[in-house]
């Protein structure tokens, strides 16, 4: 099964700064990664689909200039939250369309909890 | 209409109870169906895939009705450790497309 490593696990930043979140596929090449965010007591909402070597596809209502996605290699996709504000505080998680260690489903990173103060 | 809709919950049941969760999805092109479990402040973990013929994994039984675009999860003999949020998940269409999550149903099992 596949493994996706996501860093950092949590981060606290000041309003107006930018934060970069990384997802690395450790034992496979990920041509596609999916980025989600989850607000408290809400479900995971798909933000964008990240494609290696091309532009990401954003979901309706997600600002592409604020949430910059870079998928420059087959093992690394990054999400940068630019000019972060307190309302961007959320749980961000990536996923690859590869079976997990149990051999089925999709593989998720462990998530990044972002707090903007 | 939301892509995936679930029972709002929460469900509060005693140990040993049987509980059922329902879910409907709007995209008839969806090909893959799952139930995930999420514990507080953690990433979602796959509970089981759901197949058209229905499938069972121990105390958990999942059913899929493609005609009515309906998915269910039955938990028998509930344990305290089953307390979590259960997420109904479908993909957008062909293999490799994004997973879309329902809002989740919270289950609380008490002794």
């Amino acid at each position: 099964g596949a493994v996706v490593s996501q860093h950092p696990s949590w981060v606290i930043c000041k309003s107006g700064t930018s934060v970069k979140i990384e997802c690395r596929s450790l034992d496979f090449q990920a041509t596609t990664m999916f980025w989600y965010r989850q607000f408290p007591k809400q479900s995971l909402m798909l933000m964008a689909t990240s494609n290696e070597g091309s532009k990401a596809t954003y979901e309706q209502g997600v600002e592409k200039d604020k949430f910059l996605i870079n998928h420059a290699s087959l093992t690394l996709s990054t999400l940068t939250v630019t000019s972060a504000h307190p309302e961007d505080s959320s749980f961000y998680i990536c996923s690859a369309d590869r079976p997990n260690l149990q051999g089925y489903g999709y593989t998720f990173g462990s998530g990044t909890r972002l707090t903007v103060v | 209409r939301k892509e995936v809709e679930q029972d709002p919950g929460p469900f509060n049941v005693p140990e040993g109870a049987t509980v059922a969760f329902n879910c409907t999805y709007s995209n008839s092109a969806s090909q893959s169906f799952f139930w995930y479990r999420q514990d507080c402040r953690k990433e979602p973990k796959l509970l089981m895939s759901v197949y058209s013929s229905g499938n069972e994994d121990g105390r958990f039984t999942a059913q899929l009705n493609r005609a009515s675009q309906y998915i269910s999860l039955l938990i028998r003999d509930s344990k305290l450790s089953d307390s979590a949020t259960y997420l109904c998940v479908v993909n957008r269409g062909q293999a490799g497309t994004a997973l879309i999550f329902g809002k989740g149903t919270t289950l609380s099992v008490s002794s």
Side-chain angles (χ1 to χ4, degrees):
Chain A
V3 177
V4 172
S5 175
Q6 183 171 348
H7 294 280
S9 298
W10 58 270
V11 57
I12 301 174
C13 71
K14 292 185 177 180
S15 288
T17 60
S18 295
V19 174
K20 180 184 283 188
I21 301 169
E22 295 187 349
C23 272
R24 293 181 183 274
S25 55
L26 299 186
D27 50 359
F28 67 99
Q29 294 182 326
T31 53
T32 303
M33 282 271 198
F34 307 103
W35 286 94
Y36 296 83
R37 65 180 168 184
Q38 184 177 33
F39 294 109
K41 300 189 184 299
Q42 300 290 318
S43 190
L44 278 76
M45 297 299 295
L46 180 67
M47 298 177 68
T49 300
S50 167
N51 301 298
E52 187 271 334
S54 64
K55 291 183 179 180
T57 303
Y58 289 82
E59 294 297 297
Q60 190 173 14
V62 178
E63 300 174 60
K64 61 181 180 181
D65 295 329
K66 180 171 180 62
F67 299 99
L68 302 180
I69 291 174
N70 186 291
H71 197 150
S73 79
L74 287 170
T75 58
L76 176 64
S77 177
T78 62
L79 168 67
T80 300
V81 183
T82 62
S83 186
H85 291 284
E87 57 265 32
D88 298 324
S89 298
S90 187
F91 184 59
Y92 293 85
I93 191 165
C94 62
S95 169
D97 63 331
R98 284 295 189 99
N100 61 11
L101 291 175
Q102 283 67 46
Y104 52 97
Y106 286 30
T107 299
F108 284 81
S110 55
T112 297
R113 194 160 300 280
L114 170 64
T115 302
V116 184
V117 297
Chain B
R1 182 183 173 189
K2 291 183 180 177
E3 291 184 83
V4 181
E5 297 203 61
Q6 292 185 242
D7 280 347
F11 285 64
N12 300 301
V13 303
E15 276 187 289
T18 295
V19 61
F21 302 143
N22 303 314
C23 167
T24 57
Y25 61 97
S26 61
N27 185 355
S28 59
S30 294
Q31 297 292 325
S32 300
F33 310 90
F34 309 96
W35 283 100
Y36 275 73
R37 168 192 170 131
Q38 187 175 29
D39 294 288
C40 189
R41 303 175 74 83
K42 297 282 184 64
E43 75 273 23
K45 296 286 180 64
L46 180 64
L47 179 66
M48 59 196 302
S49 299
V50 187
Y51 305 111
S52 296
S53 55
N55 49 299
E56 186 175 307
D57 183 1
R59 298 181 292 109
F60 299 86
T61 301
Q63 298 277 353
L64 167 65
N65 185 319
R66 283 183 181 268
S68 56
Q69 296 179 197
Y70 169 90
I71 306 167
S72 67
L73 176 67
L74 183 76
I75 305 175
R76 292 182 299 278
D77 189 22
S78 298
K79 311 290 185 189
L80 294 175
S81 57
D82 293 334
S83 297
T85 297
Y86 290 83
L87 305 168
C88 178
V89 185
V90 306
N91 77 343
R92 274 243 174 102
Q94 61 195 23
T97 54
L99 295 184
I100 304 301
F101 288 76
K103 194 173 181 179
T105 302
T106 300
L107 172 65
S108 178
V109 182
S110 56
S111 57

